[in-house]
Amino acid sequence: MIDLPDLPLPGHGRTLERFRHFAAVGRRDPVAVRLFEGHADAAAILAELGADPPGGGERWGVWAAAPSSVRASPTAPAPSSALSSGEPALSTGAAGGWRLNGDRPWCSGAAWCTHALVTAAADDGIRLFAVANTAPHAVPIDGTWPAVGMAASDSRTIRFTDAPAIPIGGPGDYVGRPGFWHGGVGVAACWFGGALGVADALRVAASGPKDIGPHAFAHLGAVDVALGAAAAVLESAAAAIDADPRADAHRLALRARATVEKAATEVIDRVGRALGAGPLCRDAEHARRVADLTVYLRQSHAEGDLEQLGRLLADSTPDTGAVQLSASSPPGAEPTRSGAQSDGRLSREGGLAW
C-alpha cells in the first residue's frame, strides 16, 4: 500500500517540503517513490494546465516516454467539460472526443494506476491526454518488463486501443510549461532518497560494535560529502523554483539531476566497496534497494544531459550562466547550517539531511 498524501505544488513556496517528502519515501523504497512521484507529478501537471485534480481513490501515472509511439485522433468536438478528469467521462469517452492507439513503453504502475497522463502524436503536434487505465482500451502487455531492478514498479508496455482520452492543455504544453523541469528536479529528490537508503547500511555498520576499519570509515566520510553536496543542490533548486516559478528551469534541473545522479552512483559504489558482498548477498532489502536505485538512476540521460547542460551554459550570458554564490546574507553573516544531523533527522532549518 502506497500512501498518496496531497503535496505542496512546486513553485508555490513549499517546494523543499515536496522534495523532502519524496526523499523520505525514496529512502524507504525506491519503487514506492517511483509510483508516488508519478502520481504527485500528474497532480502538479493537471493543476498547472488548468485541469481538475485527481479524484479520491485514484492513482495516476505520467506515461510520456516515446510520444510518437501513441497516436491521438479526434472523434468529435469536445464539450466545455473536456478538462474533467472524472472516471465516467474517461471510461465512456463522453467528454474528450479523442481516441488513443498504440503501444506505450515504460508505463510504471501498469496495473497499479487507475489513470494516466499520456503523451501522443496528433496532427497538430504532441499533446497530453488524460486516460483511464482500464481494459479493453488500455491493456498491459505481458513479458515487456523482465527487469530485476525496479521489477515491482511494473513498468510494462501498455497497448491503447481506441482509448477514450481527454486533452490536457494544447499541443506542446506538456514540455513547454515551466513545471516540466520542476518535475525533473523532483525525480532527483527521489534518487537522493534512494541513495540515503543505500548509505544507511554503511552508517549502521559503522555505528555497530564491530570496527569496520579505516577504509570503510573513509568511504563513509566520502558518502557524507557526496550526499551533503546533493542535498545542498536540491535545497538551492527548491529555493530558485519558489523564487521565480515561471523562469526557465532547464539548466537548473539538468544541474541538479546530474549532481544527485553522480552522488547516488558514488554512494552505491562506496557502500559496496566498504561492506563487500555480504549485504548484497545476505540482506534481501539492501540488495533490492541497490538494484532498484541502479535502474532508477538510468532515467537520467547521462552524458546526453551533460551535453545539453554544457550547450545551455555556452549559450547563456556570462553573468547568468555560471553557478553563483548566494548574496542573500550580509557580509560576515554566519552561513545557515544544513546537512547531516547525528540522529538522522531533518535539520532544524528544514533542509535535506541524513
Side-chain angles (χ1 to χ4, degrees):
M1 177 66 68
I2 300 173
D3 291 332
L4 298 175
D6 291 331
L7 293 186
L9 295 173
H12 287 66
R14 296 165 61 195
T15 301
L16 182 57
E17 181 180 338
R18 181 181 179 89
F19 291 172
R20 288 205 311 268
H21 204 112
F22 286 154
V25 177
R27 187 176 196 165
R28 295 192 298 270
D29 185 350
V31 168
V33 81
R34 173 67 189 90
L35 299 179
F36 172 60
E37 183 276 330
H39 176 85
D41 191 36
I45 294 167
L46 291 168
E48 188 173 9
L49 295 182
D52 292 339
E58 295 178 351
R59 302 181 299 275
W60 286 69
V62 180
W63 298 341
S68 60
S69 63
V70 173
R71 182 72 189 174
S73 302
T75 60
S80 60
S81 60
L83 292 181
S84 169
S85 59
E87 167 72 23
L90 284 173
S91 296
T92 64
W98 291 76
R99 295 290 188 276
L100 302 187
N101 287 277
D103 294 351
R104 171 54 46 86
W106 308 102
C107 296
S108 293
W112 178 81
C113 291
T114 62
H115 298 75
L117 294 177
V118 179
T119 51
D123 288 344
D124 55 1
I126 301 298
R127 284 177 168 268
L128 185 69
F129 296 88
V131 183
N133 184 29
T134 54
H137 300 296
V139 178
I141 301 176
D142 290 339
T144 54
W145 188 245
V148 176
M150 295 296 284
S153 72
D154 186 20
S155 300
R156 285 177 289 174
T157 296
I158 297 285
R159 176 162 293 161
F160 294 103
T161 305
D162 289 330
I166 295 172
I168 305 297
D173 282 354
Y174 168 63
V175 296
R177 61 198 169 84
F180 179 80
W181 293 110
H182 302 167
V185 183
V187 172
C190 299
W191 297 343
F192 176 76
L196 292 178
V198 173
D200 283 338
L202 179 53
R203 184 167 182 166
V204 169
S207 302
K210 182 180 178 181
D211 186 356
I212 62 173
H215 292 169
F217 275 113
H219 282 302
L220 180 59
V223 162
D224 183 59
V225 171
L227 290 175
V233 168
L234 287 171
E235 291 175 15
S236 175
I241 289 169
D242 284 337
D244 190 357
R246 305 302 299 174
D248 182 359
H250 189 178
R251 189 171 67 243
L252 175 78
L254 290 176
R255 182 192 300 148
R257 287 167 64 92
T259 301
V260 176
E261 179 199 356
K262 182 177 181 181
T265 300
E266 182 175 357
V267 167
I268 291 172
D269 180 60
R270 287 189 176 276
V271 171
R273 292 170 68 87
L275 299 180
L280 292 171
C281 300
R282 297 175 179 172
D283 184 338
E285 183 177 349
H286 176 75
R288 184 168 53 249
R289 180 177 286 113
V290 170
D292 289 344
L293 181 59
T294 299
V295 172
Y296 199 1
L297 289 172
R298 297 281 48 84
Q299 196 170 346
S300 156
H301 297 101
E303 281 71 22
D305 284 348
L306 292 175
E307 178 192 6
Q308 280 192 58
L309 180 57
R311 292 184 183 277
L312 288 170
L313 186 61
D315 291 341
S316 64
T317 56
D319 59 336
T320 61
V323 176
Q324 302 285 337
L325 291 176
S326 173
S328 58
S329 299
E334 182 178 353
T336 300
R337 294 181 59 212
S338 65
Q341 304 294 303
S342 60
D343 57 1
R345 294 178 298 179
L346 292 175
S347 64
R348 287 177 299 172
E349 290 77 20
L352 293 161
W354 74 294

